[in-house]
Amino acid sequence: MSSTAALTFKILAECPITKARTSLLTLPHGVVETPVFMPVGTQGTLKGILPDQLEKLDCHILLGNTYHLGNRPGPGLLEEARGLHNFMNWKRNILTDSGGFQMVSLLNLAEITEEGVKFKSPYDGSECMLTPEESIHIQNKIGADIIMQLDDVVSSTTTGDRVVEAMERTIRWLDRCIAAHKHPERQSLFPIVQGGLNAELRQRCAEELIKRNTPGFAIGGLSGGEAKEDFWKMVSISTEILPKGKPRYLMGVGFSEDLVVCSALGCDMYDCVFPTRTARFGTALLFTGQITLKHKKFAQDYSPVDETCHCSTCTTYSRAYIHSIATQETVACHLLSIHNIAFQMRLMAKIRDSIKNGIFPEFVQEFMLGMYPTKNYPQWSLNALSSVGIQLI
């Protein structure tokens, strides 16, 4: 068990075959069971879901975006409101990213130097400089329970000297973030392992970050279009090196298969916009795969979205009803977002319970067979799971 003023991490059970584990992550706004999926509320809100609805879905931690919150409503207003928790009336935990990802997603608006990242605002075109110190300054005012270092992020498919530069700069920027952090007693700062798809660089980066003895660690720079075979290998390398007794956060991952496989590889925390973004296109997540309810075949399907789900959408509305409004009415986005977040929460609960009950490998086999009933498993999944002792049936 590891403990700091703002974070305690206690491993409850470990899978004897894989690297999976389930733990209690205690933060200032409550206890979070891991492995955990964190829904993304970019600007202090999940599109289509209210905070009290998130509570009912058993969500104990969500993610906010420092770059966007820093632009609107801005750190001054958030400080006046006594932090994002109070501003959005969310009584549970929040993790904020550092704004580093926007180096990739808004690259045409960004210029990266040793000082920091110069952005041109997508809102009004004005220029602003996001330094490691400013990122921490904003996150201190947001008041999230877990905050992230500003890292130098490059596309996951980038190779060569730029990857080395980004990895080394990420380490230097971590030291600046640590020095700027004003509230370590109530906000836990996580560094981010970078290094692209280069195993040696990832190992060097992780080893340097570990020396700083932070409360937890993140694995960044992945899930950005790289081959899945490269993806899982970089995840596995990172979890092999990072301390066993501290939480490991795999950034930007949210597909159900990825959550299952990466839990087997030893990750504890995940985030992604996928469940709510795909809801806006009329897609529902199930344990048998995705269904797109805007398709005509659902026009007279009066069954629930998912007969195994007890969320308010599935207990109240039919597939036919949602088909009739999918992508046309905002309520459809709301209803499918509720279901998709409920699905993610159920999936993570099943992962945790199977680890506690000593049947995680069997759960993985059953889950994958549900997703691929003809057993046409992706090769990367077979390889990743085989590396930790699971053979699919």
Side-chain angles (χ1 to χ4, degrees):
M1 185 173 87
S2 71
S3 179
T4 66
L7 181 153
T8 297
F9 185 70
K10 181 181 180 182
I11 297 174
L12 297 178
E14 298 176 80
C15 174
I17 296 173
T18 71
K19 293 189 278 186
R21 71 264 190 89
T22 183
S23 310
L24 294 180
L25 175 63
T26 303
L27 299 166
H29 288 84
V31 178
V32 178
E33 290 189 70
T34 71
V36 63
F37 176 81
M38 301 177 287
V40 177
T42 301
Q43 290 188 275
T45 177
L46 262 76
K47 289 180 172 65
I49 304 181
L50 297 172
D52 65 320
Q53 292 174 316
L54 266 182
E55 286 191 22
K56 291 174 183 174
L57 292 171
D58 203 31
C59 173
H60 290 268
I61 183 169
L62 58 80
L63 184 141
N65 181 280
T66 295
Y67 172 77
H68 291 291
L69 287 166
N71 273 282
R72 191 181 69 206
L77 190 147
L78 286 169
E79 187 175 39
E80 287 179 17
R82 292 177 288 117
L84 184 58
H85 289 91
N86 194 60
F87 190 56
M88 66 178 289
N89 195 28
W90 174 250
K91 299 175 180 63
R92 296 181 178 179
N93 296 290
I94 298 174
L95 180 150
T96 43
D97 68 7
S98 63
F101 176 70
Q102 277 64 46
M103 294 182 201
V104 174
S105 64
L106 300 175
L107 190 59
N108 60 325
L109 302 175
E111 178 187 343
I112 304 161
T113 65
E114 187 64 27
E115 182 184 1
V117 192
K118 184 183 290 184
F119 284 104
K120 186 172 287 186
S121 170
Y123 302 110
D124 60 11
S126 62
E127 284 194 349
C128 60
M129 172 64 77
L130 184 65
T131 64
E133 293 81 7
E134 181 63 14
S135 173
I136 296 300
H137 172 72
I138 295 170
Q139 292 185 83
N140 282 162
K141 291 192 174 184
I142 292 171
D145 303 87
I146 297 175
I147 65 177
M148 306 304 299
Q149 78 153 110
L150 183 66
D151 53 338
D152 187 349
V153 183
V154 296
S155 168
S156 60
T157 55
T158 300
T159 58
D161 292 345
R162 179 68 185 100
V163 180
V164 179
E165 177 189 50
M167 183 275 287
E168 292 177 343
R169 182 175 286 146
T170 291
I171 297 166
R172 293 193 297 272
W173 280 4
L174 172 61
D175 290 332
R176 290 168 60 183
C177 288
I178 291 171
H181 187 18
K182 292 182 178 179
H183 304 303
E185 77 287 350
R186 61 176 185 263
Q187 292 180 288
S188 295
L189 172 62
F190 281 22
I192 303 172
V193 178
Q194 291 290 352
L197 304 179
N198 185 310
E200 182 183 339
L201 291 182
R202 287 221 166 241
Q203 180 165 347
R204 278 173 52 197
C205 187
E207 288 171 350
E208 282 298 317
L209 301 185
I210 291 167
K211 294 176 184 177
R212 276 68 177 177
N213 195 29
T214 54
F217 297 87
I219 302 166
L222 296 173
S223 197
E226 73 278 5
K228 285 287 194 176
E229 188 70 17
D230 293 327
F231 163 76
W232 81 259
K233 288 179 179 177
M234 294 305 103
V235 172
S236 188
I237 287 166
S238 301
T239 58
E240 280 295 314
I241 302 165
L242 293 174
K244 179 179 175 182
K246 293 186 178 183
R248 305 161 181 157
Y249 164 31
L250 180 56
M251 306 178 79
V253 168
F255 295 155
S256 58
E257 183 177 337
D258 295 2
L259 296 173
V260 171
V261 171
C262 292
S263 293
L265 296 177
C267 295
D268 305 298
M269 304 167 67
Y270 310 91
D271 80 280
C272 192
V273 297
F274 171 69
T276 47
R277 179 172 288 172
T278 199
R280 298 199 289 278
F281 295 95
T283 299
L285 308 179
L286 281 70
F287 284 98
T288 51
Q290 303 175 25
I291 58 171
T292 303
L293 291 170
K294 63 184 180 183
H295 288 168
K296 285 191 293 186
K297 67 179 181 179
F298 296 109
Q300 293 178 293
D301 187 341
Y302 301 107
S303 60
V305 174
D306 180 353
E307 292 180 345
T308 69
C309 180
H310 301 292
C311 76
S312 58
T313 298
C314 291
T315 56
T316 311
Y317 302 99
S318 68
R319 294 177 174 184
Y321 173 70
I322 296 177
H323 164 81
S324 70
I325 58 173
T327 72
Q328 303 297 319
E329 303 289 342
T330 55
V331 70
C333 166
H334 169 76
L335 294 175
L336 287 177
S337 293
I338 289 282
H339 167 73
N340 286 352
I341 295 298
F343 171 84
Q344 299 288 93
M345 299 298 110
R346 290 170 62 213
L347 173 61
M348 302 316 293
K350 285 176 179 284
I351 292 172
R352 293 191 298 266
D353 288 345
S354 70
I355 298 170
K356 290 175 192 171
N357 295 327
I359 55 169
F360 177 69
E362 291 82 357
F363 164 76
V364 174
Q365 291 171 331
E366 181 183 333
F367 168 84
M368 292 296 290
L369 190 58
M371 286 288 180
Y372 299 96
T374 61
K375 302 186 179 182
N376 58 330
Y377 304 119
Q379 191 61 48
W380 78 271
S381 297
L382 290 168
N383 294 343
L385 293 170
S386 177
S387 76
V388 286
I390 295 180
Q391 307 300 325
L392 297 183
I393 55 175

